[in-house]
Amino acid sequence: MVDYLHLEATMRFKNIIFPTDFSESSLHALHVADEIADKFNSQLQILHVIYDMVAYADAAAVTNWYPAMYVDLEKAAKEELHKVAKKVKFAKDPQLVVRRGVEETEIIRYADEQKADLIVMGTHGRTGVGRLLLGSTAEQVLRHAHCPVLTVRSDT
């Protein structure tokens, strides 16, 4: 359980960013973000980043299919965000946002643009070789975000 009295005395969270990849571990963290948003009467922004492979590819080679593909992905992401928003119990009117890019870069960029006071995100809790091979979005956000980052580990 979060010690809200201590947090209220030391911090004010007006704007909370909750990035999601729609995984179980991510959704586990939603409950924490929702609770904190309620306790601090914060704006909760639910963010999904669509990985943009064009950032690493030759843009000229993918010009013909790039726009159509991302329109479909954005539509699907928005539908999923609406499903996630229905799981919010306490926070009022969460804002739903879809961005394209590299996940950790876009999470940090969006938090900067929105002047976020807190980022709450799930982590898969991978260790060892799994973390080295797959990387860790949460770890990169922790290292580079301008605001506090609360990671919530689930057992999934």
Side-chain angles (χ1 to χ4, degrees):
M1 189 63 162
V2 177
D3 181 2
Y4 294 110
L5 293 176
H6 176 71
L7 285 175
E8 286 181 300
T10 58
M11 304 194 90
R12 298 284 181 235
F13 302 121
K14 295 178 185 172
N15 193 7
I16 298 173
I17 308 294
F18 168 70
T20 181
D21 61 2
F22 307 123
S23 67
E24 283 300 316
S25 62
S26 169
L27 296 178
H28 183 71
L30 173 63
H31 303 297
V32 175
D34 185 25
E35 222 178 282
I36 294 171
D38 178 50
K39 297 293 182 190
F40 289 92
N41 196 27
S42 307
Q43 170 67 50
L44 179 61
Q45 298 186 48
I46 303 173
L47 170 67
H48 176 71
V49 179
I50 298 170
Y51 181 73
D52 189 349
M53 70 183 92
V54 175
Y56 294 106
D58 177 8
V62 295
T63 302
N64 293 332
W65 56 268
Y66 173 77
M69 179 184 73
Y70 282 104
V71 167
D72 291 343
L73 288 173
E74 285 179 11
K75 181 180 176 189
K78 287 178 184 176
E79 289 172 7
E80 286 300 311
L81 282 175
H82 283 287
K83 291 177 187 176
V84 170
K86 288 180 181 177
K87 296 177 189 228
V88 172
K89 295 180 181 176
F90 307 115
K92 295 161 188 69
D93 301 321
Q95 184 177 353
L96 309 178
V97 181
V98 176
R99 302 276 293 243
R100 287 194 316 230
V102 178
E103 292 90 346
E104 56 269 17
T105 303
E106 285 305 311
I107 292 167
I108 294 164
R109 183 177 294 140
Y110 185 74
D112 287 346
E113 290 169 5
Q114 298 300 309
K115 297 180 176 43
D117 299 303
L118 178 67
I119 299 170
V120 178
M121 61 190 303
T123 180
H124 297 284
R126 291 186 186 102
T127 59
V129 176
R131 190 169 122 231
L132 289 173
L133 292 176
L134 298 172
S136 171
T137 299
E139 184 176 352
Q140 291 303 311
V141 172
L142 273 166
R143 289 177 186 246
H144 301 288
H146 77 280
C147 64
V149 178
L150 174 61
T151 59
V152 179
R153 183 176 174 181
S154 75
D155 294 330
T156 58

